[in-house]
């Protein structure tokens, strides 16, 4: 995309341009990455972060300096692990032991992996993985220990599912098995990040004691699985649990047949209901964070996930293609979610209300869905007294910065559009 095409796009979508300007003028990073203090290998790590996590990278780069590099390295290590697990061209006798021993390679200076097929996404990360290992070795011992522990848990979990898939079982049967899969690929990540936050004294100990991180990870992963059903089906994967879809159709393939659309929509609504069970825990988790950049890092993905669930709810398009929220809605959520808990609570309540409005009285789970939405709204009310906590901690210096940057040049904003639009999908 060039400046002219972006200018045309926003000329045709003035509402999206308005929200973009609102974001640009209101958003001021709490912390800024200082590249002058980084080693050559650290710079390479951040380049890979940009390449492998486009929507994730900008938020990471605004984290507190204490957590900036640890989180970047943590993400790249797990991305490398995931790249091996995703590659169906790697034989099980190579993949399984590699996944189970991946944590041990973190102590091997210069280790790389070139066994991915040429077209595998993020292959180059593993080809140059020695840069990640170098920066891993520079982290505080406590952060290294957390990363190795999570890598070990995730690697073994992935290996278990890889073995199952190799034996011909590409489906998930029970809701319990579904939760376990989501835990291994996302919930464990939440555990590691939470241990980072608590260790850095940027989150309450209760975040670990109450295992709220589990719901944070499962909520995000279940959103992805609901949204990606068509893509996964075309790839021969079935993550929607039989325990749920068998309530509505006889065969999984029926979900994609137009004549069973009504049943497919009832099935998708039950999947959304299952994901919404984690929403209140997610709000509780956010209430336990005490540093603004960490709050933004956690809050924005959660509001994006709930908005995506609402878009998928009773939407026939999910059985045809990957659906996404609009750029305007994504920007609006970023504006609302990066200030304090009050903004996130309002978003959750608004989206819960929309789901209730779309709910079908003939849906077998109609009542349960309404109750789940009302529980989110009621729980949000209990957080109201805490909702301005982070806002009070914002410095006066930031207010001054906001005033000094308010007159950004319109042309400079357009120059940044290609990157922003790519990040927002």
């Amino acid at each position: 995309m060039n400046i002219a095409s972006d200018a045309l796009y926003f000329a045709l979508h003035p509402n999206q341009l308005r929200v973009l300007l609102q974001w640009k003028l209101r958003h001021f990073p709490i912390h800024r990455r200082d590249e002058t203090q980084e080693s050559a290998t650290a710079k390479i790590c951040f380049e890979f972060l940009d390449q492998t996590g486009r929507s994730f990278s900008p938020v990471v780069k605004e984290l507190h300096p204490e957590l900036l590099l640890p989180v970047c390295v943590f993400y790249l290590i797990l991305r490398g692990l995931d790249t091996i697990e995703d590659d169906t061209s790697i034989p099980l006798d190579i993949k399984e032991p590699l996944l189970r021993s991946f944590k041990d390679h973190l102590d091997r200076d210069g280790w790389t992996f070139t066994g991915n097929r040429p077209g595998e996404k993020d292959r180059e990360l593993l080809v140059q993985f020695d840069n990640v290992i170098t920066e891993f070795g520079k982290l505080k011992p406590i952060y290294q220990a957390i990363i190795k522990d999570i890598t070990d848990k995730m690697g073994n979990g992935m290996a278990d599912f890889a073995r199952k898939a190799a034996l011909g079982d590409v489906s998930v049967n029970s809701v319990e098995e579904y939760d376990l899969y989501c835990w291994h690929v996302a919930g464990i990540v939440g555990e590691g990040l939470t241990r980072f936050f608590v260790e850095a004294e940027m989150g309450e100990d209760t975040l670990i004691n109450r295992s709220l991180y589990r719901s944070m990870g499962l909520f995000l992963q279940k959103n992805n699985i609901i949204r990606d059903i068509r893509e996964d089906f075309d790839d021969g994967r079935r993550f929607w649990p039989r325990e749920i879809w068998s309530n509505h159709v006889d065969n999984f393939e029926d979900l994609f047949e137009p004549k069973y659309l009504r049943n497919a929509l009832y099935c998708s609504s039950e999947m959304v209901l299952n994901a919404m069970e984690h929403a209140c825990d997610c709000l509780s988790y956010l209430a336990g964070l005490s540093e603004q950049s960490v709050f933004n890092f956690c809050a924005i993905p959660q509001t994006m996930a709930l908005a995506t669930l609402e878009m998928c709810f009773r939407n026939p398009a999910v059985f045809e293609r990957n659906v996404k929220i609009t750029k305007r809605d994504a920007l609006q959520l970023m504006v609302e979610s990066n200030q304090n808990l009050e903004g996130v609570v309002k978003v959750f309540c608004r989206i819960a209300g929309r789901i209730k409005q779309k709910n079908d009285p003939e849906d077998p789970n109609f009542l349960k869905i309404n109750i789940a939405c009302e529980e989110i709204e009621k729980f949000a009310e209990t957080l109201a007294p805490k909702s301005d906590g982070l806002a009070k901690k914002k410095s006066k210096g930031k207010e001054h910065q906001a005033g000094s940057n308010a007159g950004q040049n319109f042309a400079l904003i357009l120059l940044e559009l290609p990157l922003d639009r790519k990040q927002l999908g």
Side-chain angles (χ1 to χ4, degrees):
M1 284 289 188
N2 55 39
I3 295 176
S5 62
D6 281 313
L8 176 61
Y9 175 87
F10 281 97
L12 297 174
H13 301 81
N15 287 335
Q16 294 190 27
L17 177 59
R18 178 181 59 79
V19 178
L20 173 67
L21 292 174
Q22 183 182 22
W23 168 253
K24 288 288 186 182
L25 296 177
R26 288 187 180 182
H27 179 67
F28 306 98
I30 305 301
H31 308 287
R32 293 183 183 275
R33 175 186 164 208
D34 185 0
E35 297 184 48
T36 64
Q37 302 299 313
E38 294 174 355
S39 65
T41 51
K43 287 184 172 66
I44 292 174
C45 286
F46 282 108
E47 289 175 4
F48 276 116
L49 180 67
D50 290 337
Q51 295 170 21
T52 61
R54 288 173 178 168
S55 60
F56 187 64
S57 178
V59 192
V60 172
K61 291 178 180 177
E62 294 183 10
L63 279 172
H64 189 285
E66 170 70 15
L67 294 175
L68 176 60
L69 193 57
V71 171
C72 174
V73 170
F74 182 42
Y75 175 82
L76 292 178
I77 288 172
L78 297 186
R79 174 61 70 182
L81 187 68
D82 188 58
T83 301
I84 292 171
E85 191 271 339
D86 272 348
D87 192 342
T88 55
S89 72
I90 301 176
L92 182 64
D93 61 345
I94 295 176
K95 177 182 288 189
E96 183 177 3
L98 187 56
L99 291 173
R100 296 192 190 280
S101 65
F102 197 83
K103 73 175 191 309
D104 299 325
H105 295 300
L106 302 180
D107 294 324
R108 294 178 56 190
D109 291 341
W111 183 82
T112 61
F113 180 72
T114 59
N116 286 109
R117 57 190 167 192
E120 185 66 25
K121 181 184 176 184
D122 302 330
R123 178 183 189 275
E124 190 61 25
L125 169 63
L126 287 168
V127 171
Q128 300 187 44
F129 205 70
D130 53 322
N131 296 289
V132 180
I133 291 176
T134 296
E135 289 305 314
F136 171 79
K138 297 178 183 178
L139 300 180
K140 291 181 179 179
I142 183 60
Y143 294 146
Q144 290 186 26
I146 293 171
I147 291 174
K148 290 189 73 172
D149 181 44
I150 299 302
T151 302
D152 184 39
K153 291 177 180 177
M154 180 176 281
N156 279 290
M158 287 179 169
D160 291 342
F161 279 96
R163 170 162 288 280
K164 179 182 175 183
L167 295 175
D169 188 353
V170 294
S171 61
V172 174
N173 293 311
S174 67
V175 171
E176 181 180 3
E177 186 179 0
Y178 176 51
D179 283 356
L180 182 61
Y181 174 78
C182 292
W183 164 251
H184 280 302
V185 299
I188 294 177
V189 181
E191 177 188 344
L193 290 171
T194 302
R195 288 163 66 180
F196 278 172
F197 302 154
V198 173
E199 182 64 32
E201 298 183 350
M202 298 178 192
E204 299 174 358
D205 291 344
T206 54
L207 297 181
I208 291 180
N209 298 338
R210 295 174 58 196
S211 299
L212 294 173
Y213 55 78
R214 179 181 182 277
S215 286
M216 290 283 283
L218 266 60
F219 187 65
L220 294 178
Q221 185 61 24
K222 288 182 177 182
N223 162 74
N224 293 338
I225 288 174
I226 293 169
R227 180 198 62 198
D228 297 342
I229 182 174
R230 181 75 220 195
E231 180 181 335
D232 288 332
F233 177 68
D234 290 342
D235 288 341
R237 300 185 179 194
R238 304 178 182 182
F239 295 115
W240 287 27
R242 178 185 295 272
E243 185 177 335
I244 288 180
W245 62 255
S246 63
N247 294 331
H248 308 279
V249 292
D250 294 329
N251 303 295
F252 186 76
E253 294 82 1
D254 294 343
L255 294 173
F256 305 92
E257 294 292 335
K259 63 181 178 180
Y260 296 116
L261 178 59
R262 182 180 182 184
N263 297 69
L265 291 177
Y266 291 160
C267 181
S268 67
S269 69
E270 187 170 353
M271 290 292 294
V272 171
L273 172 63
N274 174 272
M276 288 174 61
E277 293 173 356
H278 304 291
C280 291
D281 275 357
C282 293
L283 289 174
S284 291
Y285 184 99
L286 296 176
L289 299 174
S290 56
E291 201 277 332
Q292 185 69 55
S293 69
V294 169
F295 178 84
N296 295 349
F297 175 85
C298 296
I300 292 174
Q302 297 296 325
T303 54
M304 294 277 195
L306 187 59
T308 301
L309 282 180
E310 188 263 325
M311 172 163 282
C312 293
F313 183 67
R314 297 199 51 75
N315 185 353
V318 299
F319 299 102
E320 302 171 0
R321 65 182 187 277
N322 186 296
V323 299
K324 296 181 180 180
I325 58 177
T326 66
K327 298 177 182 68
R328 177 186 182 278
D329 287 342
L331 286 164
Q332 185 64 50
L333 289 169
M334 292 169 72
V335 170
E336 295 178 284
S337 306
N338 83 107
Q339 298 298 319
N340 51 44
L341 187 60
E342 181 180 9
V344 176
V345 163
K346 288 180 179 178
V347 170
F348 269 56
C349 288
R350 182 175 72 242
I351 295 176
R354 288 178 181 173
I355 291 175
K356 278 198 297 185
Q357 290 178 347
K358 293 168 67 174
N359 201 10
D360 180 1
E362 296 185 8
D363 191 314
N365 286 291
F366 173 77
L367 184 58
K368 290 181 179 179
I369 292 169
N370 274 358
I371 291 174
C373 291
E374 290 167 2
E375 286 179 349
I376 292 174
E377 294 168 337
K378 290 178 181 178
F379 184 74
E381 292 178 3
T382 69
L383 296 176
K386 302 179 181 180
S387 63
D388 62 348
L390 280 169
K392 293 178 180 178
K393 296 180 181 179
K394 300 182 93 173
S395 67
K396 294 181 179 179
K398 293 298 174 184
E399 295 173 3
H400 173 73
Q401 183 182 13
S404 65
N405 287 345
Q408 290 186 67
N409 184 281
F410 180 77
L412 291 178
I413 294 174
L414 286 180
L415 284 172
E416 294 183 9
L417 290 185
L419 177 61
D420 288 342
R421 291 179 60 193
K422 190 178 293 183
Q423 289 166 355
L424 294 172

